[in-house]
Amino acid sequence: MKPAFVSELAPAGPLAQGREFIWTQADFSRVQGLIYQRAGISLHDGKHAMVYSRLSRRLRETGYSSFAEYLTWLEQHDGGEWQEFVNALTTNLTAFFREQHHFEIFSDYLGSRPQGAPWRVWCNAASTGEEPYSIVITAFETLGSNAAFELVASDIDSRVLATAAQGMYRIENLKGLSPERMHKFFLRGKGANAGLARVKPELARAIEFISVNLIRDDWPFREPFDVVFCRNVMIYFDAPTQRRVLERIHRVLKPGGMLFVGHAENFSESRDLFTLRGKTVYERR
């Protein structure tokens, strides 16, 4: 392992104080460029501390003693560390039935079609699973557990996607769910699993978990969707990237299909693609 070195660009101010690794503006700028190229994420200058904290773990794991060396090695290879790099820099804030009004609108939309009609839905920020399971719970409550309902749940972060597929949660993280929903859709752990709950098999069977990078043009979908949940994802993209992703969502969403976005996201400049139908809910033109 090579010893850490002080770059000519190392700042004299707080960025260099009390750090395990030398952290320069040049390092941060390189990270900004790499994560934008790989995942479309635009890191603003206020993310210095977050990026240092998360990527310093990768330096420890890989044995590199400086960000400059680690980033150079990353640029020269195309292996599994790229996924770890992306995983480290993605944010996975989620909860069951977050933004409750969306699920009420979704339920009304599900009930607007003839009974027995098939449904195909995509949740493209699955994170650790709370959102996709909330979607399926809403569908089962509205249509019945035997409904022709299919959900594709994707994320760019492989670790949270694996957690989502397991469908196991701490009881304290489920306190927002009613006793009725807990009884109907979850199995409480016993013994070594006390304090945990797992989603019931019929809930899990309705979901296909896959990895999808929204900025790549290789989405693996052959059939269009009736509904797309793309919530609190676009806030990490700049305007040109947002537009490209919206155009691709438009292509995989049926005419008249619904797009649910995050509470801080507004796509009024894409009226040629979507029409606003409610609070952060759009209809595909």
Side-chain angles (χ1 to χ4, degrees):
M1 182 183 298
K2 297 180 180 179
F5 62 94
V6 178
S7 165
E8 293 177 356
L9 296 174
L15 291 180
Q17 296 175 2
R19 302 285 193 185
E20 179 182 356
F21 304 102
I22 294 298
W23 175 239
T24 72
Q25 178 61 45
D27 294 332
F28 181 71
S29 296
R30 289 177 73 185
V31 172
Q32 283 180 305
L34 292 173
I35 194 62
Y36 183 79
Q37 294 166 17
R38 205 76 179 189
I41 296 172
S42 294
L43 290 174
H44 62 74
D45 291 341
K47 296 291 187 179
H48 265 277
M50 181 273 282
V51 172
Y52 174 87
S53 174
R54 295 187 181 185
L55 283 187
S56 60
R57 301 170 196 164
R58 298 311 312 149
L59 266 67
R60 296 186 200 105
E61 288 287 329
T62 57
Y64 283 92
S65 56
S66 78
F67 282 92
E69 290 178 327
Y70 170 73
L71 295 173
T72 296
W73 174 75
L74 197 65
E75 290 169 335
Q76 295 174 351
H77 297 80
D78 195 24
E81 183 57 28
W82 272 109
Q83 183 65 59
E84 296 297 334
F85 175 79
V86 171
N87 289 355
L89 294 177
T90 48
T91 300
N92 297 290
L93 178 64
T94 187
F96 280 94
F97 291 94
R98 187 182 182 196
E99 299 180 48
Q100 174 64 36
H101 72 283
H102 277 168
F103 296 96
E104 296 167 1
I105 295 171
F106 178 54
S107 178
D108 290 341
Y109 187 53
L110 291 173
S112 69
R113 291 189 186 175
Q115 189 173 7
W119 289 90
R120 181 170 163 80
V121 179
W122 178 26
C123 170
N124 61 29
S127 188
T128 46
E130 288 88 339
E131 183 171 306
Y133 290 121
S134 297
I135 292 170
V136 177
I137 288 172
T138 301
F140 282 8
E141 289 176 339
T142 306
L143 305 172
S145 58
N146 294 320
F149 183 87
E150 175 188 352
L151 176 67
V152 176
S154 70
D155 205 284
I156 194 173
D157 186 330
S158 59
R159 289 177 300 181
V160 297
L161 206 56
T163 299
Q166 289 179 345
M168 186 176 291
Y169 302 94
R170 294 191 177 278
I171 295 293
E172 59 261 31
N173 295 334
L174 303 175
K175 290 180 179 178
L177 297 176
S178 67
E180 292 77 17
R181 278 177 169 165
M182 283 294 299
H183 176 73
K184 188 173 183 179
F185 297 109
F186 291 85
L187 298 169
R188 289 180 177 268
K190 299 178 180 179
N193 291 322
L196 300 173
R198 184 190 293 274
V199 298
K200 287 189 175 180
E202 57 266 32
L203 209 64
R205 282 196 294 268
I207 307 176
E208 178 187 8
F209 290 99
I210 63 173
S211 177
V212 174
N213 185 335
L214 291 180
I215 71 163
R216 295 182 60 134
D217 207 10
D218 59 355
W219 294 2
F221 309 126
R222 296 182 179 179
E223 299 293 329
F225 294 97
D226 301 284
V227 178
V228 172
F229 281 77
C230 184
R231 306 197 303 167
N232 306 302
V233 180
M234 299 287 203
I235 53 174
Y236 301 105
F237 299 156
D238 60 14
T241 305
Q242 288 181 357
R243 176 67 190 193
R244 288 195 297 272
V245 173
L246 284 172
E247 289 172 349
R248 290 171 183 167
I249 290 175
H250 185 269
R251 290 200 294 267
V252 302
L253 188 58
K254 293 178 182 178
M258 304 299 286
L259 170 64
F260 293 83
V261 303
H263 65 278
E265 297 167 325
N266 186 318
F267 304 120
S268 58
E269 294 187 3
S270 291
R271 295 187 186 94
D272 58 317
L273 303 176
F274 298 96
T275 302
L276 187 65
R277 290 300 186 212
K279 186 179 178 183
T280 56
V281 180
Y282 292 84
E283 180 181 328
R284 194 262 203 206
R285 285 183 178 274

